[in-house]
């Protein structure tokens, strides 16, 4: 080996913020290699992937639309992740939130009223929380791994949605497509920016951002949760309530994902359909990590991840590459982040010259 | 239900369990060495498409199986480098591996979703396969099924009756003492992770080359996660992994036959069964925290650096 990892006496604060930037740079570098291997001009591909999607107002609006659910879910998940509560099933909680909110919208289909949307919001949050409560309950009562349970429930939620849009909730005039009726105006979030599809759901994400920021910064519970995450034994001795940590961690993530699901169907989609999300629930895990589990970091990371989604779509249209390319970039980003994080605690020292 | 149907169901149960046996036995070795790789789903699906591509291009099915194993190992190598050399969080890295693998496989498989393949054929052993009942029950599978069943005794022998297995288990229990005794902790963990990757890859290739010889996006459908659950369910014992795999194979097959019996349940609810069964079994096993704590390798999921410990 050319280099040796030497433990630093103190974790490097500088690297905590530098390593995400390093990870982004490495992702772009590897992206360039991939594009070249695929026989694309890397410059053209980069333009299509990272510039083209956001060079007008409409594109910027799309960026916000995609960043909003990612940031919202990641904010919710970060509360649990800090306490080592691994909710990996946000995608399922999003689905159930959308089902609950969509149920309200369809129930009050003919109703024209201002309270339909708030009701949908509540239903969405509750739906997501209910789905997250299952792993929380099983973890606190039976010590069942929340990772595996929340994940299994993703598949259950998606099958439930599939049944609803193929069966009881299918649009009778939908030519047999697996989708519900288009929601009427009172169940659709208003547009915020003229000429874009940017909807009022963005505000919910910003409110959540402030709430999580305040919670993490000033609440005693958040402090206890963080201690529980860093040193479970110490938290035990201090008498911090471990079960409460698990419940708060999972329910926050569930509520956020449920609201994100409601935003999707009341925003850009406008109905219940299959599939609901391009994997926001999973991508949000990456957003939470790349954002260092910090609200501001999450905001920035969500914009980057949203750009990766848009880039994937644009690459599909312009370069005939599959949209799935964005998943490859997302995975690479997290790999590089985790890899460069080693520099927080270790120093790279060359092994030549000195006999180590 | 007549005897023929019962045999048919049993045979189908065995084959449905095979991809889980490969993936879960592989992960068992990984976890025995103290490493938790949550990327099984990602390694499996990349194994599935790699195997399919190579088989479709070369016409050699067995080359496809090898390619599946190789692809799984390459994926595992990424995981190993990040978690073992760079000591990153194993949970997060495993998740990244799955997200990456699902994206990569969709991308690789874009041109192959309408390609038809013969698939690996069942063996026909003259005389034996023609025996009534037993012939079908014991001698009617493709070679990979027998390979999976052969893997089990080999693994038991390796883990519990060989020096190598003892070292792997020692490293999983206490890497610090193993290191003090002079065992190369990181190198052995690398080998375990690579073996797990190869097995997950073969499990994936079994799906796309034998079980349903075709490629469709996301075709592993959570089997990698179920394999992870199986290891917990088995409380890290190979015999129970085998049993569990067949149990889940049975649940998977049951959904088709319940419908065949004329029970009027929407197919989506039947498709939920394997996932719900996984949760139910996990609850049953985890209920007693002691069984998990006593059986799980003590250092599971923790990074190791010889100068830090």
């Amino acid at each position: 080996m050319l280099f040796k990892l030497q433990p630093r006496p103190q974790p490097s604060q500088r690297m905590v913020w530098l390593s995400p930037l390093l990870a982004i740079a490495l992702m772009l570098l590897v992206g360039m290699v991939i594009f070249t291997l695929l026989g694309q001009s890397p410059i053209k591909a980069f333009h299509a992937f990272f510039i083209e999607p956001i060079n007008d107002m409409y594109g910027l609006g799309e960026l916000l639309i995609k960043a909003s659910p990612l940031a919202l879910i990641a904010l919710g998940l970060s509360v649990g992740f800090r306490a080592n509560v691994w909710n990996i099933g946000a995608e399922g909680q999003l689905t159930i939130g959308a089902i609950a909110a969509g149920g309200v919208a369809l129930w009050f289909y003919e109703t024209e009223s201002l309270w339909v949307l708030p009701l949908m919001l509540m239903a969405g949050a509750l739906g997501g929380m209910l789905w997250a409560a299952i792993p929380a309950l099983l973890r606190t009562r039976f010590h069942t791994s929340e990772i595996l349970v929340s994940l299994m429930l993703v598949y259950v939620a998606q099958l439930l949605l599939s049944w609803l849009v193929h069966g009881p909730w299918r649009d009778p005039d939908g030519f047999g497509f697996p989708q519900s009726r288009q929601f009427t105006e009172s169940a659709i979030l208003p547009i915020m920016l003229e000429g874009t599809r940017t909807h009022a759901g963005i505000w919910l994400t910003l409110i959540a951002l402030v709430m999580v920021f305040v919670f993490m910064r000033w609440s005693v519970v958040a402090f206890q949760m963080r201690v529980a995450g860093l040193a479970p034994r110490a938290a035990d001795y201090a008498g911090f309530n471990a079960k409460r940590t698990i419940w708060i961690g999972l329910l926050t993530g569930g509520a956020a994902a449920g609201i994100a699901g409601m935003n999707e169907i009341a925003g850009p989609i406008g109905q219940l359909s299959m599939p609901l999300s391009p994997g926001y629930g999973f991508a949000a895990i990456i957003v939470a990590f790349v954002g260092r589990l910090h609200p501001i970091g999450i905001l920035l990371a969500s914009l980057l991840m949203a750009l990766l989604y848009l880039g994937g779509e644009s690459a599909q249209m312009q370069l005939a590459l599959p949209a799935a390319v964005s998943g490859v970039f997302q995975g690479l980003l997290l790999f590089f982040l985790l890899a460069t994080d080693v520099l927080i605690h270790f120093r790279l020292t060359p092994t030549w010259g000195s006999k180590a | 239900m007549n005897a023929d149907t019962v045999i048919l169901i049993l045979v189908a149960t065995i084959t449905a369990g095979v991809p889980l046996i490969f993936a879960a036995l592989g992960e068992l070795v990984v976890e025995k060495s103290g490493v938790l790789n949550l990327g099984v789903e990602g390694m499996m699906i990349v194994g599935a498409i790699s195997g399919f591509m190579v088989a479709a291009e070369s016409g050699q099915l067995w080359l496809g199986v090898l390619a599946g194993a190789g692809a799984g190992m390459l994926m595992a190598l990424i995981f190993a480098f990040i978690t073992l050399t760079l000591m990153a969080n194993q949970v997060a890295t495993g998740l990244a591996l799955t997200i990456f693998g699902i994206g990569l496989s969709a991308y690789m498989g874009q041109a192959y979703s309408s390609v038809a393949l013969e698939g690996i054929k069942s063996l026909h052993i003259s005389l034996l396969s023609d025996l009534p009942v037993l012939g079908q029950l014991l001698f009617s599978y493709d070679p990979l099924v027998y390979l999976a069943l052969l893997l089990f005794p080999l693994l038991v022998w390796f883990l519990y009756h060989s020096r190598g297995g003892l070292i792997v288990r020692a490293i999983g229990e206490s890497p610090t003492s193993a290191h003090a005794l002079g065992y190369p902790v990181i190198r052995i963990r690398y080998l375990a992770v690579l073996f797990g990757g190869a097995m997950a890859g073969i499990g994936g290739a079994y799906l796309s080359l034998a079980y349903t010889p075709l490629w469709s996006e996301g075709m592993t459908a959570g089997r990698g996660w179920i394999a992870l659950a199986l290891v917990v369910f088995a409380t890290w014992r190979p015999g129970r992994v085998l049993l569990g795999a067949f149990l889940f194979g049975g649940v998977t097959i049951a959904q088709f036959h319940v419908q065949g019996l004329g029970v009027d349940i929407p197919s989506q609810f039947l498709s939920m069964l394997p996932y719900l069964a996984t949760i139910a079994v996990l609850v049953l096993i985890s209920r007693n925290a002691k069984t998990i704590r006593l059986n799980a390798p003590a250092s599971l999921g923790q990074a190791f650096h010889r100068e830090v410990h």
Side-chain angles (χ1 to χ4, degrees):
Chain A
M1 257 212 260
L2 295 173
F3 289 97
K4 203 168 91 78
L5 290 170
Q6 215 163 41
R8 293 180 193 267
Q10 293 252 289
S12 158
Q13 279 308 310
R14 206 158 50 108
M15 284 315 297
V16 170
W17 291 103
L18 265 181
S19 82
L21 298 179
L22 207 58
I24 294 169
L26 285 168
M27 175 196 70
L28 294 176
L29 200 71
V30 171
M32 190 145 8
V33 173
I34 291 180
F35 284 135
T36 314
L37 287 178
L38 292 172
Q40 304 276 356
S41 139
I43 305 210
K44 236 163 113 188
F46 261 65
H47 191 267
F49 212 93
F50 294 106
I51 314 274
E52 187 79 28
I54 49 166
N55 64 0
D56 57 7
M57 267 311 276
Y58 182 81
L60 283 171
E62 292 299 295
L63 187 73
L64 291 181
I65 290 181
K66 287 215 154 56
S68 173
L70 289 169
L72 183 57
I73 301 170
L75 283 165
L77 292 181
S78 69
V79 173
F81 286 174
R82 278 178 168 232
N84 263 340
V85 177
W86 295 96
N87 177 7
I88 306 303
E91 186 78 5
Q93 290 140 26
L94 176 151
T95 306
I96 296 294
I99 289 175
V104 171
L106 293 172
W107 185 267
F108 295 107
Y109 191 68
E110 303 290 345
T111 320
E112 264 181 56
S113 176
L114 280 176
W115 47 258
V116 174
L117 274 172
L119 209 60
M120 285 172 71
L121 179 66
M122 268 168 56
L126 282 176
M129 280 166 91
L130 174 81
W131 216 238
I134 301 172
L137 181 76
L138 298 182
R139 168 78 197 269
T140 48
R141 294 256 339 231
F142 305 114
H143 318 281
T144 315
S145 156
E146 78 278 16
I147 296 181
L148 293 171
V149 173
S150 63
L151 226 139
M152 290 294 129
L153 288 174
V154 172
Y155 295 95
V156 176
Q158 286 173 344
L159 286 163
L160 195 66
L161 174 68
S162 162
W163 170 66
L164 286 169
V165 294
H166 279 98
W169 289 1
R170 177 156 66 183
D171 182 359
D173 307 317
F175 305 103
F177 282 109
Q179 56 194 34
S180 76
R181 292 199 278 188
Q182 287 276 349
F183 299 158
T184 48
E185 199 151 326
S186 42
I188 296 281
L189 289 162
I191 297 289
M192 287 283 97
L193 278 169
E194 208 53 48
T196 70
R197 298 196 301 154
T198 319
H199 55 80
I202 311 269
W203 291 114
L204 294 172
T205 299
L206 291 176
I207 293 169
L209 192 101
V210 174
M211 279 168 62
V212 170
F213 192 87
V214 169
F215 173 75
M216 296 242 203
R217 190 77 187 262
W218 285 291
S219 85
V220 181
V221 179
F223 169 73
Q224 293 184 345
M225 286 176 72
R226 204 156 58 221
V227 174
L230 290 173
R233 287 255 176 82
D236 248 12
Y237 285 125
F240 297 165
N241 190 335
K243 285 188 177 174
R244 189 178 60 186
T245 298
I246 293 166
W247 275 103
I248 293 178
L250 276 158
L251 290 187
T252 318
I259 294 173
M262 177 266 176
N263 278 348
E264 286 308 293
I265 59 157
I269 304 180
Q271 68 192 144
L272 277 172
S273 66
M274 288 287 285
L276 261 184
S277 112
Y280 287 140
F282 295 112
I285 298 170
I286 301 181
V287 170
F289 274 104
V290 176
R292 291 262 164 263
L293 306 183
H294 186 285
I296 305 298
I298 286 174
L299 181 71
L300 295 173
S302 72
L303 289 168
L304 174 65
M305 286 292 274
L307 183 58
L308 290 183
Y309 271 122
L310 288 183
E313 287 171 12
S314 150
Q316 185 177 27
M317 282 186 288
Q318 306 213 354
L319 310 170
L321 293 174
V325 164
S326 53
V328 176
F329 276 100
Q330 292 170 356
L332 283 176
L333 181 63
L334 186 50
F335 282 146
F336 284 128
L337 178 81
L338 293 162
T340 50
D341 269 0
V342 73
L343 297 173
I344 296 173
H345 297 284
F346 293 87
R347 201 191 300 278
L348 273 185
T349 37
T351 43
W352 62 79
S354 68
K355 274 259 177 254
Chain B
M1 216 190 290
N2 56 19
D4 281 352
T5 323
V6 173
I7 291 175
L8 219 68
I9 293 178
L10 282 174
V11 168
T13 296
I14 305 269
T15 37
V18 165
L20 292 174
I21 295 179
F22 280 116
L25 284 182
E27 177 70 12
L28 179 76
V29 174
V30 179
E31 293 194 15
K32 278 279 183 196
S33 80
V35 180
L36 179 67
N37 183 356
L38 293 184
V40 182
E41 179 83 2
M43 300 189 295
M44 249 181 130
I45 195 139
V46 170
I49 183 57
S50 306
F52 191 85
M53 277 170 73
V54 168
E57 294 298 335
S58 69
Q60 302 286 321
L61 291 166
W62 287 96
L63 210 58
V65 176
L66 275 181
M73 274 173 95
L74 277 179
M75 292 282 285
L77 187 65
I78 301 176
F79 175 86
F81 180 71
I82 297 176
T83 58
L84 300 178
T85 301
L86 302 179
M87 292 159 289
N89 180 316
Q90 294 175 7
V91 173
T93 312
L95 288 170
L97 195 68
T98 291
I99 294 173
F100 177 73
I102 291 174
L104 185 67
S105 65
Y107 174 58
M108 289 165 71
Q110 199 191 17
Y112 290 88
S113 51
S114 54
V115 176
L117 209 63
E118 275 269 358
I120 295 175
K121 285 263 181 334
S122 307
L123 289 176
H124 190 92
I125 310 156
S126 50
L127 291 178
L128 284 178
S129 301
D130 299 327
L131 286 173
V133 185
L134 276 185
Q136 248 215 313
L137 206 54
L138 296 178
F139 306 106
S140 70
Y141 304 100
D142 59 82
L144 277 171
V145 176
Y146 298 107
L147 190 68
L149 295 176
L150 190 68
L151 185 67
F152 167 70
L154 281 177
L155 209 73
V156 171
W157 171 81
F158 171 75
L159 276 177
Y160 299 100
H161 302 280
S162 81
R163 204 177 128 74
L166 183 70
I167 297 173
V168 167
R169 285 185 294 138
I171 285 173
E173 287 305 327
S174 173
T176 335
S177 345
H179 174 67
L181 289 173
Y183 295 124
V185 174
I186 300 294
R187 198 181 317 155
I188 294 206
R189 284 189 168 174
Y190 255 96
L191 291 175
V193 170
L194 289 179
F195 173 76
M199 289 302 112
I202 294 180
Y206 183 79
L207 286 172
S208 65
L209 292 176
Y211 193 66
T212 48
L214 54 84
W215 164 253
S216 65
E217 229 179 281
M219 69 181 295
T220 45
R223 282 186 181 84
W225 296 106
I226 293 182
L228 276 161
L230 269 179
V231 178
V232 180
F233 160 73
T235 55
W236 293 269
R237 275 177 289 188
R240 283 185 168 207
V241 167
L242 203 65
L243 194 79
F246 291 136
L247 187 77
F248 284 98
V251 176
T252 313
I253 294 307
Q255 48 172 305
F256 302 115
H257 287 273
V258 170
Q259 226 156 23
L261 290 174
V263 182
D264 192 22
I265 302 174
S267 65
Q268 286 93 349
F269 287 95
L270 296 170
S271 303
M272 287 175 195
L273 284 178
Y275 309 111
L276 293 175
T278 306
I279 295 175
V281 169
L282 277 176
V283 168
L284 282 177
I285 295 298
S286 322
R287 218 171 27 169
N288 188 349
K290 239 190 259 158
T291 37
I292 297 288
R293 218 174 318 133
L294 283 180
N295 288 296
S299 76
L300 188 60
Q302 287 159 19
F304 175 78
H305 185 271
R306 58 203 163 104
E307 283 176 42
V308 174
H309 288 264

